[in-house]
Amino acid sequence: MNFSGIKDRLKHKTVGIAGCGGLGSNCAVALARVGVGRLILADFDVVDETNLNRQYFFYHQIGEKKVQSLSDNIKLINPATEIKVCDIHLDEQNIVDIYKNCDVIVEAFDKAEMKQMIIETLLEQLPQTPLVIGLGMAGWGDSNSIHCRKSDNLYICGDETNEISDDRPPLAPRVGIVANMQANTVLEILLKK
Amino acid sequence: MNITLNNRPESFDYDSLTISEILKLKKFTFKMMVIKINGLLIRKPQYDETRVNEGDDLQILHLISGG
């Protein structure tokens, strides 16, 4: 399939991005670049200077809402992308409503309890929608430990081992690898259908 | 009993075990998990009473922070 054919297939697809930090911002940008037609971005946070070591924001955007900044950045790359922004704290009550019409959903939270919340909620309430999660990407080096595997409709990307800590911060290269691996998995799912 | 645990064959010297018992036997002390038996989600309050039996497909996903 050439790129024009790929774009034709992707332009009517909707992908949900749950969290717009290191995973979500980089994954959303990759999906917009290849021509995914519609993205639903949700996050409650604002851009902080400490985010710039890995997240797809710019220095002048510090203090802005992440969903708005990310939407602006995506529009600069691919203005054809339709973007819905949800400036909201996702929880088990609102998440199904926000993402129910998505072809694929990307989990891009930082906290383990939020990852658990979205997996359990969607497994019960949107079991037909593929969910692509990022799990384990702290630190640096050891690229070969990062992998992707499938468990029913759940796709797991990451090393599944390295949790963030003071000595093992999340950094652009490994977070970027996992975010792009999630985007690559989304493409695989969308282009298979 | 013989089951599949995270896509690998696993044997226990019992006919049936609860999820909590399996977690103890396997020394899984993870704080955040998602557990499925044959694709069906089992939430934490049910770990003590839900039994795993011969031939079951048990998935235990350990959740860690970072993103």
Side-chain angles (χ1 to χ4, degrees), chain A residues 21-24 26 53-55 137-139 146 164 169-182, chain B residues 66-67:
Chain A
L23 295 175
N26 288 293
N53 67 356
R54 65 191 188 284
Q55 304 187 14
M137 76 293 296
I146 296 172
I164 48 164
L171 297 169
R174 278 183 128 247
V175 174
I177 291 170
V178 173
N180 282 285
M181 192 176 260
Q182 287 180 284

Side-chain angles (χ1 to χ4, degrees), chain A residues 43 50 124 141 150 173:
Chain A
D43 202 302
T50 59
E124 283 185 335
K150 184 176 188 290

Side-chain angles (χ1 to χ4, degrees), chain A residues 146-191:
Chain A
I146 296 172
H147 58 264
C148 180
R149 68 180 178 95
K150 184 176 188 290
S151 166
D152 302 324
N153 230 352
L154 181 70
Y155 297 75
I156 301 149
C157 302
D159 64 26
E160 298 190 59
T161 306
N162 286 308
E163 185 151 36
I164 48 164
S165 65
D166 288 345
D167 292 333
R168 211 188 280 277
L171 297 169
R174 278 183 128 247
V175 174
I177 291 170
V178 173
N180 282 285
M181 192 176 260
Q182 287 180 284
N184 197 32
T185 303
V186 171
L187 276 196
E188 194 176 359
I189 296 165
L190 293 179
L191 294 176

Side-chain angles (χ1 to χ4, degrees), chain A residues 60-111:
Chain A
H60 73 270
Q61 293 176 320
I62 290 170
E64 290 180 11
K65 282 283 178 183
K66 284 185 179 178
V67 280
Q68 193 53 54
S69 297
L70 183 56
S71 171
D72 294 345
N73 296 343
I74 289 170
K75 292 283 185 192
L76 289 170
I77 294 164
N78 185 353
T81 315
E82 188 192 326
I83 301 171
K84 183 177 179 207
V85 301
C86 302
D87 173 13
I88 195 167
H89 199 298
L90 291 167
D91 59 32
E92 49 272 85
Q93 268 77 49
N94 59 31
I95 206 159
V96 173
D97 225 33
I98 289 174
Y99 292 120
K100 64 184 175 208
N101 295 321
C102 291
D103 295 289
V104 185
I105 300 168
V106 173
E107 175 281 319
F109 296 128
D110 50 358
K111 293 189 176 67

Side-chain angles (χ1 to χ4, degrees), chain A residues 22-23 54 109-113 115-116 119-120 123-124 133 135-137 149 151-152 154 156 160-164, chain B residues 6-7 31-36 38-47 57 59-67:
Chain A
L23 295 175
R54 65 191 188 284
F109 296 128
D110 50 358
K111 293 189 176 67
E113 51 266 39
K115 292 179 191 284
Q116 183 188 43
I119 296 168
E120 291 193 338
L123 208 56
E124 283 185 335
I133 72 164
L135 196 59
M137 76 293 296
R149 68 180 178 95
S151 166
D152 302 324
L154 181 70
I156 301 149
E160 298 190 59
T161 306
N162 286 308
E163 185 151 36
I164 48 164
Chain B
N6 290 343
N7 307 320
K31 264 187 293 184
M32 285 288 156
M33 289 178 285
V34 171
I35 297 187
K36 291 187 293 183
N38 303 325
L40 187 74
L41 175 70
I42 312 292
R43 287 182 184 260
K44 198 167 186 174
Q46 287 123 42
Y47 291 175
D57 174 18
Q59 294 276 343
I60 301 177
L61 181 65
H62 173 208
L63 299 177
I64 55 179
S65 288

Side-chain angles (χ1 to χ4, degrees), chain A residues 11-27:
Chain A
K11 71 181 174 196
H12 300 297
K13 301 293 186 186
T14 300
V15 177
I17 308 285
C20 297
L23 295 175
S25 63
N26 288 293
C27 184

Side-chain angles (χ1 to χ4, degrees), chain B:
Chain B
M1 67 171 172
N2 296 300
I3 65 164
T4 304
L5 172 60
N6 290 343
N7 307 320
R8 292 194 193 94
E10 181 85 38
S11 289
F12 294 98
D13 295 331
Y14 301 88
D15 289 341
S16 162
L17 290 164
T18 66
I19 289 178
S20 297
E21 288 166 342
I22 288 180
L23 293 175
K24 199 176 278 180
L25 283 169
K26 293 297 294 176
K27 300 189 172 67
F28 287 169
T29 54
F30 314 132
K31 264 187 293 184
M32 285 288 156
M33 289 178 285
V34 171
I35 297 187
K36 291 187 293 183
I37 299 179
N38 303 325
L40 187 74
L41 175 70
I42 312 292
R43 287 182 184 260
K44 198 167 186 174
Q46 287 123 42
Y47 291 175
D48 282 342
E49 67 211 39
T50 305
R51 304 200 75 82
V52 179
N53 299 302
E54 174 74 30
D56 279 349
D57 174 18
L58 178 63
Q59 294 276 343
I60 301 177
L61 181 65
H62 173 208
L63 299 177
I64 55 179
S65 288

